[in-house]
């Protein structure tokens, strides 16, 4: 299964605030907030939704194609990704702008305040998907993640025109996109990835209820934080009925940093689909990979050790499930 992932390419500047944001906010002054947080630590990490997803897929033995725009400062990052099974030949390098920056502060309750500098990401709208597919001998799936909004819409339209199956994962860009653009972005998607809040936001902005959205997408994959994931699709055997599958998440050993957890889930889910596993098993792989990420500071700093992964997978989902995954997971 040939998979490409389009989305932001960025570096993450991650800081930790030892207090609680809620304790610093004055209800009567929320219209004029001016706050500065003295943080305890700063970690500069590789990030961006597309490389995060690609890295996770590479760790699971696949070789995904990264599609996005970066600056001339991307050289070291490119080398890292290529050493971790990621095809970077379709990354556009800007001659004028630096690679995008994600700056995030996390408090003691794992709440986050973040800013994102677009940089070279703005040039992603210039990327054509056709030549990418042609170079790799065709695409079985393109995941369109958070990116320059014009790029997201262009990639979606091109997938529909060329008959390339795609997954819609608008995430952070939902807040700025109007309802009509969101409709264009998700219509015809084989999979629609969101968390619970984003799922509700799509319904609010588009005016489509849950049933209407399912008439426009193949499957909704909704992550539920510590509660796992919910997968919904129309039931072909019941008029207006819906099939619902819920998959729990393994218990984490520690909560180090939630950044990139959703990206890791998507990586594991798509890897499972690429192996030919069903959606339930794919979701289990996604949840297990997401658990490894929340236990690690940084979105690409986790170490996927085969034996450790399978041992924890068996505890969470049973020996038979672990045996099935073991046939696909490389050493």
């Amino acid at each position: 299964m040939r998979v490409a992932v389009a989305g932001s390419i960025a570096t993450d500047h991650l800081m930790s605030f030892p207090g609680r944001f809620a304790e610093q906010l004055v209800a009567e002054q929320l219209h004029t907030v001016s706050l500065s947080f003295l943080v305890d630590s700063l970690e500069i990490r590789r990030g961006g939704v597309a490389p995060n997803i690609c890295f996770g897929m590479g760790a699971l033995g696949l070789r995904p194609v990264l599609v996005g725009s970066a600056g001339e400062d991307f050289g070291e990052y490119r080398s890292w990704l290529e050493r971790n099974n990621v095809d970077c030949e379709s990354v556009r390098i800007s001659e004028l702008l630096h690679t995008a920056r994600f700056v995030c502060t996390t408090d003691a309750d794992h709440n986050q305040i973040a800013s994102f500098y677009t940089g070279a990401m703005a040039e992603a709208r210039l990327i054509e998907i056709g030549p990418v597919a042609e170079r790799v001998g065709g695409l079985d799936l393109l995941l369109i993640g958070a990116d320059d909004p014009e790029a997201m819409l262009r990639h979606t339209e091109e997938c529909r025109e060329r008959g390339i199956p795609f997954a819609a994962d608008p995430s952070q860009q939902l807040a700025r996109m109007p309802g009509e653009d969101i409709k264009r972005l998700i219509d015809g998607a084989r999979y629609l990835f969101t968390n619970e809040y984003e799922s509700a936001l799509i319904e609010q902005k588009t005016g489509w209820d849950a049933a209407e959205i399912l008439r426009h997408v193949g499957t909704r994959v909704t992550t539920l934080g510590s509660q796992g994931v919910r997968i919904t699709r129309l039931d072909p055997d019941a008029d207006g009925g819906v099939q619902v599958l819920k998959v729990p998440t393994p218990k984490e050993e520690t909560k180090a940093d939630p950044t990139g957890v959703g990206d890791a889930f998507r990586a594991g889910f798509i890897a499972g689909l690429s192996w030919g596993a069903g959606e339930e098993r794919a979701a289990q792989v996604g949840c297990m990979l997401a658990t490894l990420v929340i236990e690690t500071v940084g979105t690409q700093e986790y170490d996927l050790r085969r034996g450790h992964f399978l041992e924890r997978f068996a505890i969470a989902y049973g020996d038979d499930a672990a045996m099935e995954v073991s046939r696909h997971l490389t050493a």
Side-chain angles (χ1 to χ4, degrees):
M1 184 173 175
R2 291 180 293 270
V3 179
V5 181
S8 62
I9 300 172
T11 55
D12 294 345
H13 295 240
L14 309 175
M15 292 167 281
S16 298
F17 174 59
R20 293 175 170 81
F21 295 144
E23 295 173 353
Q24 321 306 319
L25 299 172
V26 180
E28 295 78 12
Q29 297 297 320
L30 292 181
H31 64 288
T32 179
V33 175
S34 179
L35 282 173
S36 176
F37 297 98
L38 182 62
V39 298
D40 282 350
S41 63
L42 167 65
E43 299 278 352
I44 299 177
R45 304 287 185 180
R46 308 170 187 93
V49 297
N52 288 345
I53 296 170
C54 285
F55 177 86
M57 293 174 65
L60 289 166
L62 280 72
R63 184 169 172 77
V65 178
L66 175 61
V67 179
S69 183
E72 291 186 349
D73 55 340
F74 182 63
E76 185 177 345
Y77 197 171
R78 176 196 289 271
S79 177
W80 162 262
L81 291 170
E82 288 176 343
R83 286 189 289 109
N84 284 280
N85 272 354
V86 179
D87 180 338
C88 295
E89 289 302 311
S90 293
V91 174
R92 174 187 172 85
I93 301 300
S94 172
E95 298 179 355
L96 301 174
L97 300 168
H98 287 287
T99 302
R101 300 282 191 275
F102 175 66
V103 182
C104 179
T105 303
T106 303
D107 75 358
D109 291 330
H110 294 277
N111 297 310
Q112 296 182 315
I113 294 177
S115 299
F116 191 88
Y117 163 68
T118 304
M121 191 181 84
E123 296 184 8
R125 66 185 67 182
L126 303 177
I127 297 172
E128 288 268 3
I129 299 302
V132 178
E134 189 174 316
R135 179 178 68 82
V136 299
L139 288 173
D140 298 301
L141 184 71
L142 172 66
L143 186 146
I144 302 172
D147 203 345
D148 170 69
E150 290 299 319
M152 297 167 72
L153 291 167
R154 178 175 185 176
H155 297 340
T156 302
E157 294 290 350
E158 191 175 352
C159 282
R160 282 193 287 260
E161 291 171 3
R162 296 181 181 276
I164 299 173
F166 70 97
D169 182 18
S171 57
Q172 298 100 320
Q173 295 295 27
L174 285 172
R176 66 174 290 166
M177 298 183 81
E180 290 305 310
D181 281 353
I182 295 172
K183 289 179 180 180
R184 291 169 56 200
L185 194 63
I186 70 176
D187 188 33
R190 180 166 294 183
Y191 291 96
L192 171 60
F193 290 98
T194 64
N195 60 31
E196 261 193 310
Y197 183 83
E198 292 161 353
S199 177
L201 188 59
I202 287 176
E203 293 179 19
Q204 175 186 307
K205 285 199 162 191
T206 61
W208 290 346
D209 61 17
E212 180 68 15
I213 289 175
L214 282 177
R215 286 193 284 271
H216 287 271
V217 305
T219 302
R220 293 183 78 173
V221 183
T222 308
T223 54
L224 310 172
S226 62
Q227 301 304 307
V229 61
R230 180 178 64 246
I231 300 173
T232 55
R233 62 166 66 243
L234 290 177
D235 187 344
D237 300 322
D239 186 22
V242 175
Q243 295 176 337
V244 180
L245 171 66
K246 292 186 178 180
V247 175
T249 192
K251 182 175 177 56
E252 69 274 358
E253 295 176 351
T254 184
K255 289 184 179 180
D257 183 2
T259 309
V261 169
D263 299 334
F265 170 79
R266 287 146 175 79
F269 185 81
I270 295 172
L273 296 179
S274 297
W275 296 338
E279 290 177 351
E280 180 178 17
R281 192 73 72 238
Q284 291 170 347
V285 175
C287 287
M288 187 69 254
L289 196 65
T291 300
L292 296 184
V293 171
I294 202 171
E295 295 172 350
T296 310
V297 176
T299 58
Q300 299 174 30
E301 307 304 319
Y302 57 94
D303 182 15
L304 197 159
R305 290 171 285 125
R306 184 178 186 274
H308 177 254
F309 185 95
L310 292 173
E311 179 182 350
R312 295 185 63 182
F313 196 89
I315 292 171
Y317 303 116
D319 292 337
D320 289 344
M323 181 64 70
E324 181 181 345
V325 170
S326 71
R327 293 195 290 267
H328 304 284
L329 195 62
T330 58

